[in-house]
Amino acid sequence: MKMISKISKLVLALSVVGSSAFAQSLADAKKAIDAEQYQKAKSMLKNLTVTQANKDENYFYYGWVYILQDYPDSAKAIFQKGIAVNPKSALNYAGLGAVAFVDKDRNTATTNFNQAVALAGKDSKPYLYVGRSYLLNDVDGKVPAADANAAIAILNKGKAVNPKDAEILLALGDAYRTQLKNTDALGSYQAALDIDPKLAHAKVATGVIWKYANNFEASENEYKAALAIDPNYGPAYREWAETDVRWAFNDPRMASAKIKEATDQYKKYLSLTDLSLDSRLRYADFLLLSGDYKTLQTEAAALSKDAANNLKVYRYLAYAAYENKDYAAGLQAMNTWITKADPKRIIPRDYLYLGRLQIASKQDSLGIASLRKAATLDTTQADVYSEIGKTLFGQKKYLEAAQAYGTYTQKSRNAKLLDHFYEGLSYYYGFQDQYFSKDKSVKADTSLLAKADSAFSYVAQKSPTTADSYLFRARVNDYREKDRNNIVGYAKPYYEKFIEVSLAKGAPSDKVKKDLAEAYVYLGTYAEFKEKDTAKATDYFTKARDMDPTNKQVVSFFAKKGGAGARGK
């Protein structure tokens, strides 16, 4: 009996040691995940799935790394193994939900999320990872409101299950941050720190909030606080680098110093990761953010040698090649990415760059179609319509260009006066195409003149010294005249204003002289036929001749052959 008792004690001691080693190993793997040391984490977790093959959570965290690295198929296979080990594994059902969610299969995602919650019991971690899954649909820091709301709802349920789960509070802060609810986010991060003051992640997340508020000094202080907790916490250097880039863009005086500092910070981040393909892809993200397209193209070209492991490399190569005006290489790379990558991985910006590359490669029709697709997939991308309008205008498809410019000026905050001006030009030239059409069935749509006039009027109101806005308002209104010999004078105030503004700028250029001659001819014609003032008409035509002696109407007037003649536009 004593021998059996000793053996029992030995078995018990070994099981405690084994359990402790397992817990520590899993803790180390989770710490590596948080530090974005994904290769290290995968190596540890792969080992755990062998040495502790009956522990379903090993499989979950192993699969979760693949989710973070954007390899959902690999993640799915691992989660399924976790469920095979434990059919009631709530975490692995959360993982399967995450896979379906990133694959845009919302019904399957919801089914698996519900199953995870049903099996969770008093464990808050399944709630945590269901919540984090809802935040995976992140494009440039933006998460759809419905997904963020779903994340907040499930995380609050997890918080009710375990109010002391600091990770739940961290995830809640992240969800609030995507909705720009910064007060709620900061409160959640602080609550997490109250539970665990050693949470470097919470300090970094707080710094990110200050970054987007353009409080860069406060942001840096948070990153320093995170590094004081853990000097080797790589994400602090990564966010610091991205903050420096934003700082540089917001303060041109600091641009050079901050871009250099950002590069140094990112190198520190890389040194603290495993320098895997995925780490280098994050570096490519940074280069894209900072606008260092030359380095990005070089880095992407190097990465493309190993692109079989991640086709995303071609996206970076295409973006960089376009910005570096290497259009042939860019178009080839983008076509490779779009044709070979999983269609679910294609984002609206890919079609934006495809369109730009096609247009730059003289494939205008294809390019316009690609730009339209980008705008359709992401309705917030109103700026795309400016590029569509510019291309269509160059093709002399004026009415289509007008519609594109109109959409842009109505929906984008970035629209400039020049865009409004080109909207007016497009409507004006579109009307002219109809007016002078040789096809007798085509009737000129006078509503186009009203739209053109509205656009030019807007420019004139916002910039009273823009002479061309008055010139084209005059031309638009001149088309309202039904009889040159019974002139009403719709264009008169605009030609007069054009002359006033143009002459106030000093000696006119040769082009402006021709436009001034046109204005004086109109005023001379008005004086001759409407006011019946020959002397005044002669004065205006004389001024027109001084500006452009070759003007046909000027020549005609002084040859005593009549003053109206052709429109001279």
Side-chain angles (χ1 to χ4, degrees):
M1 290 294 291
K2 288 183 179 180
M3 180 62 69
I4 292 174
S5 177
K6 287 181 179 179
I7 292 173
S8 298
K9 289 180 180 178
L10 178 60
V11 169
L12 177 61
L14 288 173
S15 67
V16 170
V17 170
S19 176
S20 175
F22 159 69
Q24 183 62 46
S25 296
L26 182 57
D28 285 345
K30 291 172 67 176
K31 185 176 180 180
I33 294 172
D34 185 46
E36 299 175 10
Q37 297 171 334
Y38 297 134
Q39 289 302 113
K40 178 180 178 181
K42 283 197 296 188
S43 178
M44 297 169 69
L45 289 162
K46 182 178 181 181
N47 183 59
L48 283 171
T49 59
V50 174
T51 60
Q52 298 286 340
N54 62 332
K55 301 291 185 179
D56 58 280
E57 63 182 331
N58 291 337
Y59 295 94
F60 169 73
Y61 287 104
Y62 190 18
W64 188 254
V65 179
Y66 278 105
I67 285 287
L68 295 177
Q69 292 182 304
D70 200 24
Y71 297 111
D73 292 341
S74 298
K76 183 178 182 179
I78 296 170
F79 293 140
Q80 288 172 332
K81 288 180 181 179
I83 290 173
V85 167
N86 177 9
K88 295 185 177 181
S89 176
L91 276 174
N92 281 290
Y93 275 109
L96 287 178
V99 170
F101 186 81
V102 298
D103 280 342
K104 298 180 174 57
D105 183 355
R106 296 302 178 97
N107 290 334
T108 301
T110 300
T111 298
N112 284 303
F113 289 155
N114 289 341
Q115 182 72 349
V117 170
L119 294 170
K122 295 183 179 181
D123 183 2
S124 59
K125 295 307 179 190
Y127 293 90
L128 168 66
Y129 283 97
V130 171
R132 286 182 171 172
S133 296
Y134 278 118
L135 301 179
L136 290 171
N137 191 11
D138 176 342
V139 178
D140 294 333
K142 299 176 183 177
V143 173
D147 295 339
N149 288 333
I152 291 168
I154 196 69
L155 289 168
N156 274 320
K157 289 181 180 179
K159 181 181 175 182
V161 169
N162 182 5
K164 297 296 183 181
D165 188 334
E167 287 186 295
I168 288 276
L169 295 168
L170 274 177
L172 263 174
D174 292 343
Y176 285 129
R177 196 176 75 208
T178 67
Q179 294 190 320
L180 302 180
K181 295 180 179 179
N182 291 337
T183 300
D184 292 330
L186 289 169
S188 294
Y189 293 143
Q190 187 55 54
L193 285 166
D194 290 342
I195 294 170
D196 183 359
K198 296 293 185 182
L199 277 176
H201 185 141
K203 286 292 184 183
V204 171
T206 301
V208 172
I209 287 180
W210 294 127
K211 173 183 74 173
Y212 286 116
N214 290 343
N215 189 342
F216 302 118
E217 291 86 354
S219 188
E220 281 192 347
N221 288 337
E222 294 296 336
Y223 303 140
K224 291 175 182 177
L227 292 168
I229 294 171
D230 181 358
N232 296 316
Y233 191 64
Y237 286 111
R238 176 177 54 76
E239 290 293 354
W240 196 343
E242 293 177 6
T243 297
D244 279 336
V245 171
R246 185 178 176 92
W247 194 341
F249 288 161
N250 278 270
D251 187 351
R253 297 170 301 174
M254 301 287 287
S256 179
K258 286 301 170 184
I259 289 294
K260 181 181 183 303
E261 183 176 280
T263 302
D264 292 341
Q265 303 292 17
Y266 214 93
K267 287 178 180 177
K268 291 176 185 176
Y269 164 71
L270 289 174
S271 73
L272 292 169
T273 64
D274 37 41
L275 288 176
S276 63
L277 174 64
D278 296 285
S279 294
R280 293 175 69 190
L281 286 172
R282 293 208 71 153
Y283 179 50
D285 280 324
F286 166 74
L287 293 171
L288 184 62
L289 174 70
S290 63
D292 187 353
Y293 298 111
K294 289 185 178 179
T295 304
L296 177 59
Q297 188 170 1
T298 301
E299 181 70 11
L303 286 169
S304 67
K305 297 175 183 177
D306 195 24
N309 293 321
N310 199 316
L311 287 167
K312 191 178 177 181
V313 167
Y314 289 109
R315 171 188 284 161
Y316 297 115
L317 193 57
Y319 289 10
Y322 170 78
E323 299 293 347
N324 293 327
K325 302 188 187 322
D326 188 359
Y327 301 127
L331 187 57
Q332 181 179 3
M334 185 55 78
N335 282 329
T336 299
W337 165 244
I338 286 181
T339 56
K340 292 188 176 182
D342 186 329
K344 300 185 189 75
R345 302 289 168 256
I346 308 301
I347 62 176
R349 186 160 56 168
D350 294 334
Y351 289 107
L352 174 62
Y353 270 92
L354 174 62
R356 289 170 173 172
L357 286 162
Q358 288 168 328
I359 290 169
S361 302
K362 309 301 182 185
Q363 300 175 16
D364 289 359
S365 297
L366 289 174
I368 291 169
S370 296
L371 292 178
R372 289 191 187 280
K373 186 163 188 175
T376 301
L377 292 173
D378 182 0
T379 56
T380 66
Q381 292 286 339
D383 290 359
V384 173
Y385 288 100
S386 175
E387 298 181 55
I388 294 173
K390 182 179 179 180
T391 303
L392 289 167
F393 189 90
Q395 293 181 321
K396 298 184 178 181
K397 295 180 179 179
Y398 297 120
L399 294 184
E400 291 181 61
Q403 292 172 354
Y405 276 120
T407 301
Y408 177 57
T409 56
Q410 291 169 25
K411 293 186 176 182
S412 176
R413 295 180 179 179
N414 299 320
K416 298 178 175 59
L417 287 180
L418 188 61
D419 299 302
H420 288 275
F421 185 77
Y422 269 95
E423 180 186 356
L425 280 183
S426 299
Y427 280 120
Y428 174 71
Y429 289 137
F431 173 83
Q432 278 199 326
D433 280 350
Q434 295 176 349
Y435 189 87
F436 291 109
S437 175
K438 295 180 181 179
D439 184 348
K440 300 300 183 182
S441 66
V442 175
K443 294 183 179 180
D445 181 0
T446 55
S447 70
L448 300 178
L449 293 176
K451 293 176 181 178
D453 190 55
S454 177
F456 295 134
S457 175
Y458 180 86
V459 176
Q461 291 172 30
K462 296 295 182 180
S463 179
T465 59
T466 302
D468 279 352
S469 62
Y470 304 111
L471 175 64
F472 276 93
R473 288 203 76 184
R475 290 173 174 173
V476 164
N477 280 278
D478 191 22
Y479 274 111
R480 296 172 61 195
E481 302 284 2
K482 299 187 185 309
D483 182 357
R484 175 62 66 178
N485 294 319
N486 189 24
I487 191 168
V488 177
Y490 296 120
K492 182 174 181 289
Y494 307 114
Y495 274 127
E496 288 174 336
K497 190 66 176 177
F498 170 68
I499 293 169
E500 175 192 332
V501 172
S502 296
L503 294 181
K505 295 181 178 181
S509 65
D510 289 342
K511 177 191 177 301
V512 174
K513 283 182 179 180
K514 289 183 179 295
D515 294 335
L516 284 168
E518 174 190 324
Y520 285 126
V521 163
Y522 178 92
L523 295 175
T525 303
Y526 181 85
E528 182 179 12
F529 290 98
K530 181 68 174 179
E531 298 177 324
K532 309 299 182 182
D533 189 335
T534 304
K536 190 174 182 180
T538 302
D539 182 54
Y540 278 127
F541 274 100
T542 300
K543 290 178 178 178
R545 184 174 58 187
D546 291 341
M547 292 295 167
D548 181 13
T550 65
N551 183 289
K552 292 181 180 179
Q553 290 164 281
V554 169
V555 173
S556 178
F557 178 84
F558 285 106
K560 304 298 183 183
K561 294 181 179 179
R567 286 179 173 269
K569 299 175 194 170

